Amino acid sequence: MTAPAEPAVTVLVVDDEELTRTGLRTLLSAQPDIEVVGEADDGSQVLPLVERLRPDVVLMDVRMPTVDGIVATRRLREELADPPKILVLTTFENDDHVYGALRAGASGFLRKRAPARQIAQAVRLVAEGSSILFPHAVRRLATARPVHPGAAARTAALTQRETEILRLMARGLSNQAISAELVVSQETVKTHVGNILAKLGAANRTQAVITAFQAGVADPEAA
């Protein structure tokens, strides 16, 4: 008896350039496990479309003429009890808009010129709850700014073990890699990561790592 197929990951594509939207729709629709359920050409359309279509992932451009990806991301995080995962698209990875979107709650970012396979895999990972985190790029974005007093106060609430795990997260290590590094179970790491996110008020690992860099608890040279 054939096992039932897993439900497709549903995606809303948001970009002000029609050519980009068409390209993304084409490459994602070619994947058997991904379904593009809608498109938008400005961030002002995102919230009502998400409320109607309920996509798993929003593939979000950061630079749009009326409402940009930062504001659209913040609205989704603030106004929906169960917002979709947000994957930011950018032309330049050191764009301040990317940093703003990550702080607002996006799970990660990708270059618009990334290979089709990488974009599709990123959509799958984000849908599963992972963060698409490039430590070197996030480090450049975060450490270009002064230490933030609020971030330092939040990290002060972490235990010694939680701080240690946060530093490993800032190096880009997965739960499995952290488990091997510290010789503890993955379930233990998962519990610590959950506590870290709660104490930092972070929506995901990316926000937690940004806070670590802002607070000065993670060494930029080690990331």
Side-chain angles (χ1 to χ4, degrees):
M1 184 175 179
T2 304
E6 292 289 329
V9 175
T10 54
V11 180
L12 174 67
V13 176
V14 184
D15 196 289
D16 64 330
E17 295 184 2
E18 183 177 2
L19 186 61
T20 299
R21 295 197 308 275
T22 300
L24 289 168
R25 174 183 279 278
T26 300
L27 77 85
L28 291 175
S29 296
Q31 307 299 316
D33 58 341
I34 297 176
E35 178 186 2
V36 177
V37 294
E39 298 179 16
D41 61 13
D42 189 76
S44 60
Q45 304 164 15
V46 173
L47 181 59
L49 279 174
V50 166
E51 289 178 318
R52 179 165 61 87
L53 300 172
R54 295 295 176 182
D56 299 310
V57 177
V58 176
L59 205 52
M60 182 94 75
D61 187 15
V62 287
R63 290 179 176 268
M64 291 178 284
T66 306
V67 174
D68 63 29
I70 303 170
V71 173
T73 296
R74 189 176 298 117
R75 285 178 180 172
L76 290 176
R77 301 292 313 176
E78 291 177 350
E79 299 190 29
L80 297 179
D82 185 22
K85 302 298 190 296
I86 300 163
L87 185 58
V88 170
L89 290 170
T90 179
T91 304
F92 306 105
E93 67 180 21
N94 61 347
D95 188 345
D96 277 348
H97 282 67
V98 173
Y99 181 76
L102 293 175
R103 289 194 62 193
S107 294
F109 66 93
L110 281 175
R111 294 284 298 275
K112 288 188 178 183
R113 295 183 180 178
R117 181 181 300 178
Q118 185 178 352
I119 293 175
Q121 184 61 10
V123 166
R124 295 185 188 101
L125 289 172
V126 165
E128 293 170 0
S130 300
S131 294
I132 307 302
L133 178 61
F134 300 95
H136 292 288
V138 174
R139 172 177 57 80
R140 286 197 300 272
L141 288 166
T143 58
R145 295 153 179 83
V147 171
H148 193 284
R154 290 195 299 275
T155 56
L158 300 178
T159 66
Q160 184 175 348
R161 178 60 102 180
E162 288 165 352
T163 301
E164 183 179 18
I165 289 175
L166 179 58
R167 288 179 178 134
L168 294 175
M169 290 164 59
R171 285 169 47 192
L173 272 64
S174 65
N175 284 3
Q176 182 178 4
I178 294 172
S179 170
E181 177 91 5
L182 300 180
V183 196
V184 296
S185 71
Q186 289 189 51
E187 191 61 34
T188 296
V189 174
K190 183 178 178 181
T191 298
H192 281 307
V193 170
N195 291 338
I196 290 167
L197 298 186
K199 289 182 179 181
L200 298 183
N204 49 48
R205 294 170 78 99
T206 303
Q207 278 194 336
V209 167
I210 287 174
T211 300
F213 286 132
Q214 287 184 317
V217 301
D219 181 1
E221 299 304 320

